[in-house]
Amino acid sequence: MVEVTVTPRSSLADRPVRVHVRGLAPSQLITLRAWLRDEQGERFQARAFFRADAMGEVDPGYHPALGGSYSGLYPMGLLWFLQPDTPFRRLLKRDVTGSPFRIHVEVFHGVLLVDGPQDRPLASCEAERWFVGAGVQRVPIREGRVRGALFLPP
């Protein structure tokens, strides 16, 4: 049984996470896809192709991507290379204190270049990326023409 995990499942957006796939056949070719929806409902996604090792595992921190949204060894590549489905959109988080980005990570058999309704993932999981830590207070700043926010630790 194929399993994909993101560790830790809930983390701050500037902290590294580990994506790990196990339960594959040795040397199996797979597509790892990460996607999220922003606050306006726009979908951003990245995909990378990997070949499983002799133990049937894939870890983007140790196995280089063979192609897709990026190629090479990028442990956080699936999150760094997120692109919008609609051209010229930007991934922007306006409500940094209220909710996280929910990242969906999916594993597909073979090379998946485009999405189709018949494509079913072998495994999937969800992770949260928060922009403000627990207990941090956001104080808006408005002084003359200066606008900003001060984030105070607990």
Side-chain angles (χ1 to χ4, degrees):
M1 182 169 104
V2 178
E3 178 186 25
V4 60
T5 56
V6 176
T7 310
R9 238 188 98 212
S10 184
S11 65
L12 291 174
D14 63 345
R15 302 288 187 218
V17 295
R18 180 179 183 220
V19 177
H20 190 217
V21 182
R22 54 177 79 84
L24 301 166
S27 299
Q28 180 177 351
L29 191 60
I30 64 159
T31 299
L32 263 175
R33 179 176 68 181
W35 64 274
L36 64 84
R37 289 203 185 275
D38 70 3
E39 293 161 327
Q40 286 72 44
E42 183 67 36
R43 188 171 80 155
F44 291 76
Q45 65 175 320
R47 68 185 74 223
F49 316 128
F50 295 91
R51 186 167 301 281
D53 63 16
M55 298 190 52
E57 297 183 358
V58 168
D59 184 335
Y62 297 102
H63 303 101
L66 305 174
S69 301
Y70 67 96
S71 60
L73 191 62
Y74 292 94
M76 297 281 294
L78 288 172
L79 303 180
W80 291 343
F81 291 97
L82 290 168
Q83 293 294 316
D85 285 354
T86 305
F88 308 112
R89 297 286 189 158
R90 288 187 3 196
L91 184 57
L92 183 64
K93 184 73 168 139
R94 295 207 185 275
D95 179 17
V96 295
T97 59
S99 64
F101 272 144
R102 296 191 192 288
I103 311 286
H104 303 267
V105 179
E106 300 169 327
V107 181
F108 295 91
H109 176 70
V111 173
L112 181 69
L113 296 173
V114 292
D115 302 333
Q118 74 283 1
D119 297 317
R120 301 277 183 240
L122 299 172
S124 64
C125 72
E126 185 178 300
E128 295 178 343
R129 301 289 281 174
W130 289 89
F131 285 80
V132 176
V136 172
Q137 179 184 5
R138 181 182 187 271
V139 179
I141 304 294
R142 291 184 182 276
E143 184 67 37
R145 293 177 25 188
V146 175
R147 301 289 183 265
L150 174 63
F151 292 88
L152 297 172

